Structures are given as structure tokens and as C-alpha cells.
Amino acid sequence: MAETIPAGSTTDGVIQVGQQPIDARVSAPASYDVADFPVPHGREEDWRFTPLERLRGLHDGTAVADGGVKVEVSAPEGVTVETVGRDDARLGKAGKPVDRVAAQAYSSFEKASVVSVPKETVLTEPVRIAVHGEGGTAFGHQVIEVGAFAEAVVVIDHTGDATVAANVEYLIGDGAKLTVVSVQDWDDTAVHVGQHTALVGRDATFKSVVVTFGGDLVRLHPRVVYGAPGGEAELYGLYFTDNGQHQEHRLFIDHDTPHCRSNVAYKGALQGKDAHAVWIGDVLIRAAAEGTDTYELNRNLVLTDGARVDSVPNLEIETGEIVGAGHASATGRFEDEQLFYLMARGIPAEEARRLVVRGFFAELVQQIGLPELEERLIAKIEAELEASVG
């Protein structure tokens, strides 16, 4: 079923759309050193939507690594799985931390997990990484490395309860294809802050699908940089924000290389009192990036009163020699006319409600390409709807 949210609409949810300088989005230059980042106070552009008091000290240095996160990797034959020390040359190769929590995570982890797919290897089964919180506070680091002309699908599944700050790096070799599905299905009391950085090689393809359901607070920062011309990045995301949850996705695509493409599409549904979703989409086309083609889209469906959405797409262009660039953002209420149309054809109200929301998310769920995972996520969406407060 097609969505019917009109562009630029706003209801009880709040939508903010603007074109501000990309340089305003961070309070300090990227760095591995925590000391290079001031402690945020909530007035900074990159922190103004985040409830700092709910970060449990991840942002100000008071969080202590007293907990645990269990990581299990299931990989097809030929894939190398390693646990490495901080001196491994692959760590930090995709890019530096861009905020204080990411720098704190990079400075605090003891061992990192590295998953490597050899060049010219085409995997017929996905790599599955299970990340399970076991309480307390933990810091982590993961690297997914795909060699030249290799093809792989990686599923990262987050469950359990913990306060986690972690960075993930994706190194995509020349001509390689990597699809990553990151599922945040935490317990309701978890806190997860993460920076995901992809370095896309020459003529390489990177697809990211971020799915966020659980957690008290989830703040993710997907980033894309290009190592050579011809790279392509597709960033998809869906989130379902419930009572009291704060879910924040802050994307940045740095087009600093000629003849690269990017496409972004994120959709969210919100229900319940104090449900708060934040989507920031920053795209920078630098002067050297001639031939760039980019587009970003964010749509939000507000199911009940009391929910809030902040959606801010930013596009900065420093060259006129591009193929295309654009963005769109829309927030709207659940349409009574849609329900009436379905109910008039004999479909019960609750079933009609499920059909409308399923149709809203269907396009993004289909990007995953793994039927069993798609079915699980659809079931999760329907479970959220059944728990609706109104």
C-alpha cells in the first residue's frame, strides 16, 4: 500500500527542515583524542536534540566500563574472524571519531573484532554478528573489511540490556559490494550510541539498512566517505519510536571525490507520550566532487498524540558540475481516510491500521533481501502496533 504523507506537512509531531552550513553540525574537528572534544551541554548544534542526562555519563567521562557485551560471529567458510589489539593497522582506517562519545569509545575499548572477506570472494550466506548486552557500561569497536571485487551481506543484531558506546568501520575494496543490516532490538532500558563509518573504494557499492526498535535511547551516526571515483552508497533506515523512547539517526555523506553516487531513504513511525525521533541528514558536495549524484529522503508517520519528530535535511554544494542533488522531508498523522477506505471494504479497524503501516515500511524492509529477517521485522512492527496506546 502506498504512503500518502504530503511533503512538508506537519501535525502534532514537530518537523524542522533547514539548510544550514555543514560546518555547524559538529562542535569540534574529528579526532581520536577525547580531550579534543568539549563536554557537550546541549546547546551545540550536534547535541541540541539529545537528552544528555539519559546518556549515563557517556558524554562527560563519568561512565565506567563495568559491564559486558557478548559478541558472537557466525561466518561462512573463507571469512576470517579475528580479535585484535589496539595496534592493528586496520583500526581507524575508515575515519576518525566526530564527537566526544565516539572518541570515548575509541579510547576505551580493549579488543576489537575484525571480520575480513577475501578479495574476489562472493558469499552465498550472510555473516551474522550477534551483540548482546549483559548489563553495565561497555565500549566496543568492530571492523568489517571486504576485499576487492568481493561480495558480502553482514547482519549485526543488537539485543539485551547495557549502556554501550561503540564504533563500526566498513572498509569496502575496489569493485566490492557490501550490504550491512544493523538491527537495534535492545531491551527498553538500554542505551546505545554508535558511529558507523564506511570507506567506499573505486567503483564499489555499499548498502546500509539501519533498523531501530528497542532501547531507552539510541543515537547512531552513519557516515560515508569515498576513497576513489565511481563509488555508490545507499543508506536506508526504519525506526519505530514508542512511549518515552529517544531514537536519533544523524547521517553524513562526504562527497569529496568525483563521479560518486549516494541515495538516502529513512522512514519512522511514532506512537505514545514523549516518543521522540530525530533524523539529521547532512550531505556535503565538495568542490572537487564533479559528477556527483545524490538524494536524501526522510518521512515520518505520527500514530498518536504526544509524539515529536525533528527532521533536518542539510545539503551543501560547492560545485555546479553535478548530475543531481536534492532532499525531501515530511511528517504526517495517520490518515483517517485510509482507514475509512479499508474499513468500508470489510477490513476491521486494527487490521486496516496494520496494513497502512506495513505499506509505509514495505519498500525499506524489502531492501534487506533476507526473507527470514524481513518477516521478523514485520512481526516486530505489528507487535508494536498491538501495544499502541491509542
Side-chain angles (χ1 to χ4, degrees), residues 292-365:
T292 293
D293 189 4
T294 180
Y295 191 81
E296 60 175 347
L297 167 73
N298 177 229
R299 296 202 183 279
N300 297 282
L301 184 60
V302 179
L303 302 178
T304 68
D305 294 338
R308 172 187 171 97
V309 179
D310 291 287
S311 178
V312 187
N314 296 308
L315 176 61
E316 184 173 342
I317 305 172
E318 297 179 350
T319 176
E321 301 297 323
I322 62 173
V323 175
H327 61 200
S329 174
T331 293
R333 287 192 60 85
F334 200 92
E335 292 287 349
D336 291 336
E337 290 182 4
Q338 292 178 325
L339 287 179
F340 178 80
Y341 178 86
L342 294 171
M343 291 172 64
R345 282 149 181 79
I347 300 175
E350 289 304 312
E351 178 64 19
R353 183 182 178 87
R354 283 194 292 269
L355 286 173
V356 171
V357 177
R358 263 184 97 154
F360 178 71
F361 283 126
E363 177 187 3
L364 298 186
V365 172

Side-chain angles (χ1 to χ4, degrees), residues 195-263:
Q195 178 176 318
H196 302 172
T197 307
L199 176 59
V200 183
R202 182 182 299 275
D203 299 323
T205 300
F206 172 63
K207 179 194 286 188
S208 165
V209 184
V210 172
V211 181
T212 302
F213 290 118
D216 175 67
L217 182 149
V218 174
R219 174 182 153 122
L220 300 180
H221 199 329
R223 299 172 59 82
V224 175
V225 293
Y226 297 90
E232 180 173 345
E234 297 178 288
L235 277 64
Y236 300 102
L238 65 91
Y239 46 93
F240 202 117
T241 314
D242 214 334
N243 276 345
Q245 286 185 308
H246 179 92
Q247 297 175 347
E248 185 168 345
H249 301 86
R250 309 183 66 92
L251 288 71
F252 178 54
I253 300 179
D254 190 354
H255 279 283
D256 62 350
T257 303
H259 305 294
C260 292
R261 296 181 65 250
S262 65
N263 183 61

Side-chain angles (χ1 to χ4, degrees), residues 137-177:
T137 300
F139 301 95
H141 197 95
Q142 292 180 335
V143 177
I144 312 297
E145 182 182 37
V146 181
F149 302 103
E151 298 182 17
V153 175
V154 177
V155 178
I156 307 176
D157 207 349
H158 301 87
T159 59
D161 180 30
T163 299
V164 179
N167 298 318
V168 185
E169 299 183 69
Y170 307 117
L171 306 176
I172 304 107
D174 293 348
K177 296 181 179 180

